[in-house]
C-alpha cells in the first residue's frame, strides 16, 4: 500500500473537521455516544480474508528463529515508513539468520499490533526461544521467550532511518543470541526530527495494521502465503 502526501492531507483534514463538528455540537446536546459517532464509518482498507489460513505451530527445532510480521504486512502495506519494500526487508532478515547457520520461519501475528508483544509471541513460538517482531511500518524488536514484553534484547524504533543492511544485521544478531554467542548490539541512528516528520504517516499505518487484526486466527504461517 502506498501512503502518499495527498492521502495524509485528506485524512488529516477529515479528522480536524470532525473534531470541529464535535466541538460545535457537544455530545451532551446530540445524545450521541463515542460508539454511535463512529457507526457506519469505513476502514482505511478492506478487511483481509485469512480463510483457510494455517495456524502457526509450536516450533521444536533449536536452530529456528521465528519472524513475526504485522497484520497488514505485504497485503495492505508493502513498504516501510522509510520506503523500503517489505519483501526486501524480510529477505534480508532471513538472509542474516541463515548466514549464521540458523533457520527462519515467518508467521503473521493477527492478535496484536504492538511490536513488543509480536516479537515475544514469535520467540515463544520459536524452537530456539528467540524471535523477531516486525511491524509493517518497519519498527523491529529482537526478543527472548523468557523476558517480559518490554524487556526485549534489541529495539529499533526509528523505522525511517533503517536500511536493508540494518535488517540483515538484525537477523544475524537474533541468530547469535540463539546460539549463545557474544552479541554486539546494533547501533541505531537517531534523528530527533523523524517523529515530527513521519508522525501522521506512522499513525495511519498503525491504524491500518490494527484494523486488520483477527484475534480468532492468532498467529498463522505466512511463508509464501498471500
Amino acid at each position: 500500500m502506498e501512503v502518499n502526501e495527498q492521502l495524509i492531507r485528506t485524512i488529516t483534514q477529515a479528522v480536524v473537521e470532525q473534531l470541529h463538528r464535535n466541538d460545535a455540537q457537544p455530545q451532551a446536546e446530540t445524545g450521541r455516544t463515542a460508539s454511535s459517532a463512529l457507526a457506519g464509518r469505513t476502514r482505511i482498507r478492506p478487511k483481509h480474508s485469512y480463510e483457510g489460513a494455517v495456524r502457526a505451530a509450536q516450533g521444536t527445532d533449536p536452530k529456528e528463529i521465528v519472524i513475526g510480521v504485522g497484520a497488514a504486512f505485504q497485503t495492505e502495506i508493502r513498504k516501510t515508513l522509510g520506503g523500503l519494500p517489505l519483501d526486501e526487508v524480510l529477505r534480508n532478515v532471513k538472509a542474516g539468520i541463515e548466514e549464521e547457520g540458523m533457520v527462519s520461519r515467518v508467521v503473521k501475528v493477527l492478535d496484536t499490533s504492538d511490536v513488543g508483544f509480536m516479537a515475544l509471541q514469535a520467540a515463544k513460538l520459536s524452537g530456539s526461544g528467540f524471535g523477531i517482531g516486525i511491524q509493517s511500518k518497519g519498527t523491529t524488536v529482537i526478543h527472548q521467550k523468557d523476558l517480559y514484553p518490554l524487556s526485549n534484547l534489541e529495539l529499533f524504533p526509528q523505522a525511517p532511518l533503517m536500511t536493508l543492511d540494518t535488517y540483515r544485521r538484525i537477523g544475524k544478531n537474533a541468530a547469535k543470541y540463539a546460539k549463545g554467542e557474544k552479541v554486539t548490539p546494533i547501533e541505531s541512528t537517531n534523528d530527533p526530527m523523524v517523529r515530527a516528520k513521519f508522525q501522521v504517516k506512522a499513525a495511519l499505518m498503525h491504524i491500518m495494521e490494527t484494523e486488520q487484526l483477527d484475534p480468532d486466527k492468532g498467529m498463522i504461517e505466512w511463508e509464501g502465503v498471500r
Side-chain angles (χ1 to χ4, degrees):
M1 189 224 67
E2 188 69 28
V3 180
N4 55 44
E5 295 302 320
Q6 182 58 45
L7 175 61
I8 292 173
R9 285 196 296 270
T10 300
I11 293 177
T12 302
Q13 181 179 354
V15 171
V16 171
E17 289 175 353
Q18 182 62 46
L19 289 173
H20 284 314
R21 283 196 295 270
N22 288 346
D23 288 340
Q25 193 175 23
Q27 182 174 305
E29 296 178 10
T30 63
R32 297 184 303 168
T33 64
S35 296
S36 64
L38 294 173
R41 294 184 183 273
T42 58
R43 297 170 174 272
I44 296 178
R45 287 290 181 271
K47 185 68 179 288
H48 192 87
S49 173
Y50 291 101
E51 184 178 356
V54 177
R55 185 175 288 270
Q58 177 63 50
T60 57
D61 186 349
K63 297 178 68 176
E64 177 189 70
I65 306 292
V66 170
I67 304 168
V69 300
F73 197 96
Q74 295 176 308
T75 47
E76 291 69 36
I77 299 175
R78 296 187 178 277
K79 292 183 179 180
T80 68
L81 196 55
L84 298 177
L86 290 179
D87 288 347
E88 286 299 301
V89 167
L90 197 54
R91 185 182 69 80
N92 277 273
V93 173
K94 291 172 59 180
I97 292 171
E98 292 162 7
E99 286 168 6
E100 292 295 325
M102 304 293 275
V103 297
S104 63
R105 176 163 58 115
V106 184
V107 303
K108 178 164 274 202
V109 183
L110 297 176
D111 54 5
T112 180
S113 57
D114 184 295
V115 69
F117 284 91
M118 287 167 53
L120 181 58
Q121 290 184 195
K124 289 181 176 180
L125 197 67
S126 173
S128 68
F130 293 83
I132 300 170
I134 310 176
Q135 287 178 322
S136 297
K137 63 187 178 72
T139 305
T140 304
V141 168
I142 303 175
H143 227 310
Q144 183 177 350
K145 69 175 183 179
D146 297 326
L147 298 178
Y148 290 109
L150 298 180
S151 299
N152 53 72
L153 296 173
E154 293 189 56
L155 166 65
F156 306 88
Q158 293 199 323
L161 302 180
M162 294 176 69
T163 66
L164 292 177
D165 180 65
T166 305
Y167 286 106
R168 197 181 198 96
R169 292 168 65 194
I170 288 171
K172 291 175 71 68
N173 269 17
K176 289 180 179 179
Y177 282 119
K179 292 191 293 182
E181 296 182 0
K182 181 178 179 180
V183 179
T184 301
I186 300 167
E187 293 184 2
S188 297
T189 304
N190 183 56
D191 181 351
M193 295 304 296
V194 163
R195 182 174 182 180
K197 183 178 179 181
F198 289 92
Q199 189 169 20
V200 174
K201 186 175 180 180
L204 290 173
M205 294 177 82
H206 187 68
I207 290 170
M208 278 186 273
E209 187 110 282
T210 301
E211 69 182 12
Q212 292 298 325
L213 295 180
D214 191 345
D216 290 338
K217 293 288 192 298
M219 289 188 288
I220 62 172
E221 301 289 350
W222 187 243
E223 193 72 63
V225 179
R226 294 292 183 273

